[in-house]
DNA sequence: TTCTTGGTAAACCATATGGTTTAATAGCGC
DNA sequence: GCGCTATTAAACCATATGGTTTACCAAGAA
C-alpha cells in the first residue's frame, strides 16, 4: 500500500504546483545535484532555491545527503506513486488514459534501478 | 496531445493540493452537484466553498452549468490526463508502479462513459 | 590562519490563500 | 410584488508563499 494520509498528498501536490520545483525535480532525474547546481539555472537567489529544495524535501520528493560542505540531493520518486494511486480512482473518467498508460507500460522497464520486481 | 503549458500544471497541482477540493472532486464522481451540495459536507461558509469550486473550475477540473438559480457542477477529469502525462516521465523511477498500473488497466473500462474509444 | 565556497538562518516584504461576514443579485413560489 | 433560495461580490483578516537581503557557520584551499 502506498497510501498516504491526506496531508501528505497536500504537501505533494503543493510541492509540484511550482514550475521551479518541477524543473528541479526534472534536473534530478539526470543525476544527483548539489543545492547550488539546482539553483544555478534559475533567476533567483541561492536562498530562494534552497527553500524550494526544502519544500520538495518535506514532500518526500528529494532526499539530501551532506558531503562535506555540499548538500547533495537525490530524487525520491516513490511519493509520486501516491499521486498515481490517487489518480487511479479518476482514471476511468477520462478516455485517452488507456492508450497513454498502455504506452507507459510498454515503454520503460526502469533503466536506472536494478530491475527490482518488474512485473515478475 | 494532452500537453498543457506549465501554468496549467501549476493551476492543476495547486487545485489538488487542498483536501477540501479533492473531496469535492470525489463527490462529483458520484453525480453532478450544485454548489450548495458541494458545500454542505464541509464546516465552512457557503462562500468559502464557492471559492474552492472556482479554483477547481479555473484548473479545468470542473465545469459549471447554470440552471435557473442553481449552478450545477460537473467533473471534468480530462485535465487529470495532463498529470498522468507529467507523471509518465517519472514513472520509470519507481518500481511499484508497474503493478499498480497494470491492475488499473485490468480494472475499469469506464463504466460511466459511453464506451468511447477504449483501446479500439 | 585567512579566504573562499556551499549552504542555512533570520528578518523582512509583497502577494496569494483560505477563511469570514455582510451585502447584493437573480430565479422560483406564492 | 414579496419573500425565500442559490449563488456571487466585496471587504476584510490571519497566515502561507515566494522572493529578497544580510548575517552566520562549516569545510576546503591558500
Amino acid at each position: 500500500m502506498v497510501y498516504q494520509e491526506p496531508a501528505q498528498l497536500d504537501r505533494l501536490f503543493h510541492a509540484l504546483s511550482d514550475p521551479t520545483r518541477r524543473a528541479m525535480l526534472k534536473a534530478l532525474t539526470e543525476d544527483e545535484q548539489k543545492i547550488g547546481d539546482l539553483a544555478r539555472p534559475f533567476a533567483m537567489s541561492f536562498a530562494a532555491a534552497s527553500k524550494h529544495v526544502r519544500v520538495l524535501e518535506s514532500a518526500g520528493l528529494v532526499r539530501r545527503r551532506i558531503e562535506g560542505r555540499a548538500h547533495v540531493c537525490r530524487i525520491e520518486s516513490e511519493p509520486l506513486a501516491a499521486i498515481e494511486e490517487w489518480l487511479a480512482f479518476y482514471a476511468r473518467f477520462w478516455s485517452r488514459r488507456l492508450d497513454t498508460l498502455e504506452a507507459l507500460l510498454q515503454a520503460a522497464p526502469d533503466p536506472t534501478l536494478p530491475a527490482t520486481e518488474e512485473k515478475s
Side-chain angles (χ1 to χ4, degrees), chain A residues 20-39:
Chain A
T20 300
R21 289 192 288 263
R22 288 199 306 276
M24 286 177 163
L25 209 57
K26 186 149 196 178
L28 284 171
T29 63
E30 294 296 326
D31 200 359
E32 299 188 334
Q33 312 261 348
K34 294 187 290 178
I35 304 275
D37 298 334
L38 286 172

Side-chain angles (χ1 to χ4, degrees), chain A residues 10-97:
Chain A
D10 291 3
R11 266 176 265 128
L12 215 37
F13 278 123
H14 171 250
L16 296 175
S17 72
D18 183 286
T20 300
R21 289 192 288 263
R22 288 199 306 276
M24 286 177 163
L25 209 57
K26 186 149 196 178
L28 284 171
T29 63
E30 294 296 326
D31 200 359
E32 299 188 334
Q33 312 261 348
K34 294 187 290 178
I35 304 275
D37 298 334
L38 286 172
R40 198 160 311 117
F42 302 101
M44 65 175 66
S45 72
F46 196 99
S50 171
K51 285 194 198 174
H52 278 301
V53 173
R54 187 178 307 289
V55 172
L56 287 168
E57 214 179 354
S58 77
L61 287 165
V62 157
R63 203 191 307 164
R64 175 191 312 236
R65 180 176 82 247
I66 299 183
E67 254 173 32
R69 61 184 162 179
H71 293 209
V72 181
C73 297
R74 175 166 153 65
I75 190 172
E76 199 57 64
S77 55
E78 192 69 26
L80 293 181
I83 293 191
E84 180 77 46
E85 204 167 272
W86 179 87
L87 222 43
F89 178 82
Y90 296 90
R92 61 199 148 115
F93 293 104
W94 80 88
S95 44
R96 207 138 35 182
R97 179 188 158 261

